[in-house]
Amino acid sequence: MSSANKTSLLSSCLLVKGPKRELSIASLGCLLGTVLLLLSFQFYQDAVSYLSDNQGPMDYFTINKKVEGGALANLGKREDSFSPEEMEAIKKLDGVKRVGGFVRNQFPVTVYIWPTGTVGLGSAAKADLFFESIPDEFLDFVPEEWTWEENSSLVPIMVPKFYLDLWNFGLAPSRIEYPPLSVEAATGMPIEVFIGKSREATLDGRFVAFSKRINSVLVPEAFLAWANRKFGQPDAGDFFFLWKNGVIEGPPHSRDELGEFLEDPDFGSWEVSPLENPAQRAPAISVLEKRKESLRPSRIILEISEKPSQSLLRHIDENGYEMNREFPEQDKIRQVTRALLLGMTGVGGLLSLLSIATFATSFRLMIAQMAQHASNLILLGFSRHEVSRVFLSRFNKLFLLILLASVGLGYGVKQFLVAEASRFNVVVEGGFSAQSMLALLIYAIGFLVINKRVIDKSIRELSQ
């Protein structure tokens, strides 16, 4: 007898109506579980892709010292900066990979941005600005134009990406003379950079990149070092009250101005005191003998592990620092997304396990109902494998229909969610990725293997 005839004969002999209620419950559970598992796996990939394209990295922080008190209380105080010893102490803490300092400009900066693309044409956006620089290794990427030499005609500028968003969705709609700008258009805008209160120098600038990591207006380190040397002005810590004969003489003087009095025969008897503490007097000559400290960073950037270590958090708290994670709102998005996906995976997995158990019970019941027929067929010479293959074939057909329905339902649900997300300017690709389909295939194979073992075991028990 041919194999096809054997299969047809066995199917006819073992034809029995299964428990419809149990099979319906198992099919529904399998359908919902498969849909949830498929969608959770796909949504995880979509979430990872979206967050990587729309947020700064999760492991970069900035730290600064707290500023307390009002304007009068802080008038004349030296800028709170980080000493090399403080930076080294932070670098040694658990989880800290690298530490870099922000160097700021020591001169006033005013910029004119010409959105029309031509200087003098249309209206310019004017702003008093600041420049900072950090080591290139902390940038999320280094543009090709991110180089500067003393004879360069252009100053490359990098600003946060959300500055451009503020222009497009905040400033431009309220000012008819300012058009919305794409990234390409913004990088083509000419910028005039005026240095000094009296505009001692005018330079050409250009936006060369929009950073998603650093919340600052950045220029190359080489340019800022050169500009600070040439145009830098002394800060409040370099000004002192001058005491003559026990009385303050005139307004505060800078360190350089005090040096001009060095030839005065009475200079040796003069005293000075810092602005923040006028009563703390010292010989004027001591100020000139003390070398001016190199510019220290007022804030620093850290590269750390995904979560701050307890030692780092404790060190920040004990020293009164403030830690600002770059774009911290993305943390909440990641946490909520992770919780939702874990919930979907848990529910989907639970439904799948329950459907496996229900399928197993249903097919055990079917085999029990045909126990006498199956035993007789085995005695007539049919193998247990041939008998179990009949029941397995019926299960495979049912499961294949469920699997196809799951893919169709999952696709429809995702297309609906993608359309809803687009209303909130969240762009996500439709359909399922190759990784998701591979995961579905592995899931299907596992489902089939488990039920095959259940059916084979039930048939073996009949022949014992």
Side-chain angles (χ1 to χ4, degrees):
M1 185 180 297
S2 66
S3 177
N5 290 334
K6 277 187 175 183
T7 303
S8 177
L9 177 61
L10 286 172
S11 298
S12 301
C13 295
L14 297 175
L15 184 62
V16 62
K17 292 183 179 181
K20 293 183 178 180
R21 182 178 178 181
E22 286 78 3
L23 285 176
S24 297
I25 294 174
S27 299
L28 180 60
C30 182
L31 174 67
L32 295 179
T34 304
V35 170
L36 288 175
L37 288 174
L38 178 61
L39 288 177
S40 63
F41 190 81
Q42 181 61 46
F43 286 160
Y44 174 78
Q45 297 175 75
D46 293 338
V48 170
S49 176
Y50 178 81
L51 291 176
S52 64
D53 292 338
N54 292 274
Q55 75 166 49
M58 302 296 292
D59 51 2
Y60 286 86
F61 289 72
T62 58
I63 293 179
N64 58 269
K65 296 185 176 181
K66 291 182 180 179
V67 178
E68 299 176 339
L72 293 178
N74 290 301
L75 184 64
K77 281 190 176 181
R78 186 184 299 270
E79 180 184 55
D80 285 331
S81 58
F82 288 88
S83 67
E85 292 77 18
E86 289 174 315
M87 293 182 66
E88 187 64 26
I90 294 174
K91 188 176 182 179
K92 293 179 179 178
L93 296 173
D94 292 339
V96 178
K97 299 178 181 178
R98 293 183 295 178
V99 177
F102 287 82
V103 176
R104 63 167 179 81
N105 59 293
Q106 294 178 286
F107 48 83
V109 177
T110 303
V111 298
Y112 280 30
I113 303 173
W114 298 92
T116 57
T118 304
V119 174
L121 181 63
S123 299
K126 311 177 181 99
D128 291 327
L129 210 57
F130 65 94
F131 286 154
E132 287 186 309
S133 68
I134 60 171
D136 289 351
E137 61 190 88
F138 288 95
L139 299 175
D140 34 352
F141 62 96
V142 180
E144 293 181 3
E145 303 89 345
W146 197 246
T147 55
W148 188 90
E149 297 178 355
E150 192 166 336
N151 58 352
S152 298
S153 59
L154 196 67
V155 179
I157 303 172
M158 182 184 298
V159 297
K161 173 62 169 60
F162 74 84
Y163 278 23
L164 182 60
D165 296 335
L166 291 176
W167 174 285
N168 287 332
F169 305 111
L171 186 61
S174 64
R175 301 285 294 272
I176 193 172
E177 63 271 27
Y178 296 152
L181 299 167
S182 65
V183 172
E184 292 75 14
T187 54
M189 290 189 302
I191 302 172
E192 290 183 293
V193 180
F194 300 100
I195 294 179
K197 291 183 178 180
S198 302
R199 299 186 178 181
E200 289 88 351
T202 302
L203 304 172
D204 295 326
R206 188 84 68 181
F207 293 135
V208 297
F210 296 90
S211 175
K212 295 181 180 179
R213 175 180 299 173
I214 310 300
N215 184 13
S216 182
V217 181
L218 301 178
V219 291
E221 289 183 290
F223 166 75
L224 198 55
W226 169 83
N228 277 335
R229 287 195 304 268
K230 188 169 184 178
F231 304 106
Q233 298 178 352
D235 59 20
D238 289 316
F239 284 88
F240 303 87
F241 290 112
L242 178 61
W243 294 75
K244 293 182 180 180
N245 301 319
V247 179
I248 294 179
E249 177 74 16
H253 297 272
S254 68
R255 195 186 303 266
D256 293 336
E257 290 174 341
L258 291 174
E260 298 175 0
F261 301 138
L262 189 59
E263 302 300 328
D264 193 296
D266 297 327
F267 186 80
S269 62
W270 295 351
E271 295 178 309
V272 293
S273 61
L275 297 187
E276 65 268 22
N277 190 0
Q280 185 181 350
R281 291 188 283 179
I285 191 66
S286 65
V287 174
L288 299 182
E289 291 175 349
K290 183 180 179 181
R291 294 180 59 189
K292 182 179 179 180
E293 296 179 344
S294 59
L295 184 63
R296 294 176 176 177
S298 57
R299 61 185 185 131
I300 57 178
I301 182 170
L302 281 68
E303 181 186 5
I304 67 171
S305 55
E306 184 176 352
K307 292 184 179 180
S309 64
Q310 290 301 316
S311 61
L312 174 59
L313 295 175
R314 185 167 53 252
H315 186 84
I316 291 173
D317 183 64
E318 291 175 351
N319 289 274
Y321 300 155
E322 290 180 324
M323 179 172 66
N324 301 305
R325 194 170 193 171
E326 300 297 339
F327 305 99
E329 69 279 2
Q330 299 289 355
D331 287 357
K332 295 181 180 179
I333 297 176
R334 183 179 290 271
Q335 292 173 2
V336 171
T337 301
R338 185 177 298 166
L340 289 174
L341 296 181
L342 286 176
M344 289 177 60
T345 303
V347 173
L350 180 60
L351 288 174
S352 296
L353 289 175
L354 291 176
S355 68
I356 290 176
T358 309
F359 272 128
T361 302
S362 300
F363 275 86
R364 277 180 177 274
L365 181 59
M366 291 173 61
I367 295 171
Q369 291 176 351
M370 298 299 298
Q372 187 62 45
H373 292 76
S375 299
N376 292 336
L377 289 170
I378 293 173
L379 290 174
L380 290 174
F382 291 95
S383 66
R384 291 194 302 268
H385 174 71
E386 290 173 329
V387 173
S388 65
R389 190 168 57 187
V390 173
F391 291 99
L392 183 61
S393 175
R394 294 173 184 175
F395 172 76
N396 290 344
K397 291 177 181 179
L398 177 60
F399 182 69
L400 179 60
L401 290 176
I402 296 173
L403 201 64
L404 293 175
S406 300
V407 174
L409 180 59
Y411 181 83
V413 170
K414 187 183 179 187
Q415 291 303 109
F416 172 77
L417 295 177
V418 167
E420 290 297 308
S422 64
R423 295 170 52 191
F424 300 94
N425 296 321
V426 177
V427 179
V428 180
E429 293 185 3
F432 295 111
S433 66
Q435 293 88 342
S436 296
M437 300 310 295
L438 178 61
L440 180 63
L441 177 61
I442 296 173
Y443 163 80
I445 292 174
F447 206 100
L448 291 173
V449 168
I450 292 174
N451 281 276
K452 182 180 183 302
R453 289 183 176 179
V454 170
I455 293 173
D456 288 342
K457 182 180 179 181
S458 299
I459 297 299
R460 282 197 305 269
E461 291 175 353
L462 293 178
S463 60
Q464 291 177 353

